[in-house]
Amino acid sequence: MDADTLKNYLTGLPIPALRYFDEIGSTNDEALTWAEQAAEDGSLVMADRQTTGRGRMGRTWITLPGAALAFSLVFKPRPQEMRRLQLFSPLGALGVALALEKYYGLQPQVKWPNDVLLDQEKVCGVLAEASWSGESLAGVVLGIGINVAPTSVPPASQLIFPATSLERKLGHAVNRFDVLKYVLAAVFEWRRQLADDSFIQAWQDRLAFKGEHVRIEQDGMPQIEGLVTGVLPDGRLALQGLAGEALSVQIGDVHLRLAD
Ligand code: BTN
């Protein structure tokens, strides 16, 4: 793959510019730098291999050549999106889930806030980061990593949550660049609905662990336990506490796992 071929592949999508790398540290880092240097809204960074890929909460994200998708979109939020910046990361997860549903007949779920699961195993992670220069927002970077080939799944000893790949679930090979195109199309389409009830509804319809007893872990904070009831309009996870009280968890450094 190269930038020109990729550009042709993605013709018709609202991507004003793209950068393609055979190898890079992290596509999010490249996209954050580009956002500060006046990248246009919708610009794309993609790499075949990441050497210092990053996940949420300071975790490492491994991307081996030829096996996965690792890419980052630069968004320049519009004024009406400024109050919904926290919805960009679920936008990434929803885009992946809808594309896997529509084009591959799968039934993905979104593990709040933004992991995509297939049969309760993680197939995709999303890392959204904002770049601020003082009070002004240079851009939001939406980084998405998808396990496509079975070799993209790290050994179980390195996982904190069970993981799988698209090809393992489908039982056949897929063209990574088709997956990329479908996901990008869904992300751009659903971005237009970021302010609408339909966005939260689509997310909620695919929410993993609904009605189940879960434990929320937050760095340096007491754990929260409860039953998952849904997603609130601002993206918080809604729960029913063990005494029946309504609880909610802010989007951010939250780790959600099935209770033991
Ligand atoms: C997570 O599950 O913790 C989020 C993983 C996000 C990985 C993607 S791969 C493309 C982009 N570049 C990065 O360094 N991280 C994101």
Side-chain angles (χ1 to χ4, degrees):
M1 186 49 74
D2 58 65
D4 285 338
T5 310
L6 186 59
K7 204 173 283 176
N8 284 336
Y9 217 93
L10 302 178
T11 301
L13 293 171
I15 297 173
L18 64 81
R19 295 180 179 175
Y20 176 82
F21 299 86
D22 288 329
E23 181 177 306
I24 199 171
S26 154
T27 56
N28 262 35
D29 288 343
E30 175 72 16
L32 284 165
T33 305
W34 197 7
E36 286 153 21
Q37 299 164 344
E40 287 178 67
D41 183 70
S43 296
L44 174 72
V45 178
M46 185 185 181
D48 192 36
R49 173 172 188 238
Q50 293 187 118
T51 53
T52 51
R54 294 187 284 109
R56 291 178 63 239
M57 301 173 78
R59 297 186 195 116
T60 298
W61 184 268
I62 295 163
T63 308
L64 301 177
L69 281 170
F71 58 94
S72 304
L73 282 164
V74 179
F75 288 117
K76 299 281 182 168
R78 299 161 186 150
Q80 67 273 23
E81 292 173 335
M82 289 301 286
R83 281 180 294 116
R84 300 192 175 81
L85 295 181
Q86 73 279 14
L87 297 184
F88 274 94
S89 61
L91 170 65
L94 190 59
V96 172
L98 291 166
L100 298 188
E101 234 172 73
K102 181 169 174 184
Y103 294 98
Y104 299 95
L106 294 165
Q107 291 186 304
Q109 288 193 306
V110 178
K111 172 176 165 280
W112 187 90
N114 52 24
D115 287 344
V116 181
L117 309 183
L118 290 172
D119 296 328
Q120 309 229 337
E121 293 178 316
K122 179 165 169 171
V123 71
C124 161
V126 176
L127 179 65
E129 297 179 293
S131 165
W132 293 90
S133 122
E135 298 271 289
S136 90
L137 182 66
V140 170
V141 163
L142 180 58
I144 299 181
I146 305 175
N147 300 334
V148 179
T151 49
S152 63
V153 181
S157 59
Q158 293 175 22
L159 297 173
I160 47 170
F161 193 85
T164 191
S165 69
L166 191 48
E167 291 184 351
R168 192 179 284 168
K169 281 293 160 197
L170 289 170
H172 60 78
V174 296
N175 180 330
R176 280 186 297 155
F177 299 97
D178 284 343
V179 180
L180 174 70
K181 191 168 54 178
Y182 302 146
V183 168
L184 290 172
V187 167
F188 286 118
E189 180 191 336
W190 279 80
R191 180 194 185 178
R192 294 199 294 269
Q193 298 177 56
L194 212 54
D196 302 345
D197 294 344
S198 57
F199 177 86
I200 298 291
Q201 191 58 52
W203 181 10
Q204 191 146 256
D205 288 346
R206 293 159 184 83
L207 189 65
F209 310 141
K210 230 181 314 176
E212 292 191 61
H213 183 170
V214 298
R215 184 179 69 231
I216 313 287
E217 293 174 6
Q218 291 177 280
D219 273 351
M221 309 252 292
Q223 286 184 6
I224 296 174
E225 281 190 50
L227 301 184
V228 174
T229 53
V231 178
L232 299 175
D234 62 2
R236 279 177 297 155
L237 182 69
L239 301 132
Q240 184 185 47
L242 300 182
E245 76 281 24
L247 299 172
S248 65
V249 184
Q250 283 279 2
I251 210 155
D253 56 345
V254 177
H255 184 60
L256 175 66
R257 301 188 74 170
L258 273 174
D260 296 328

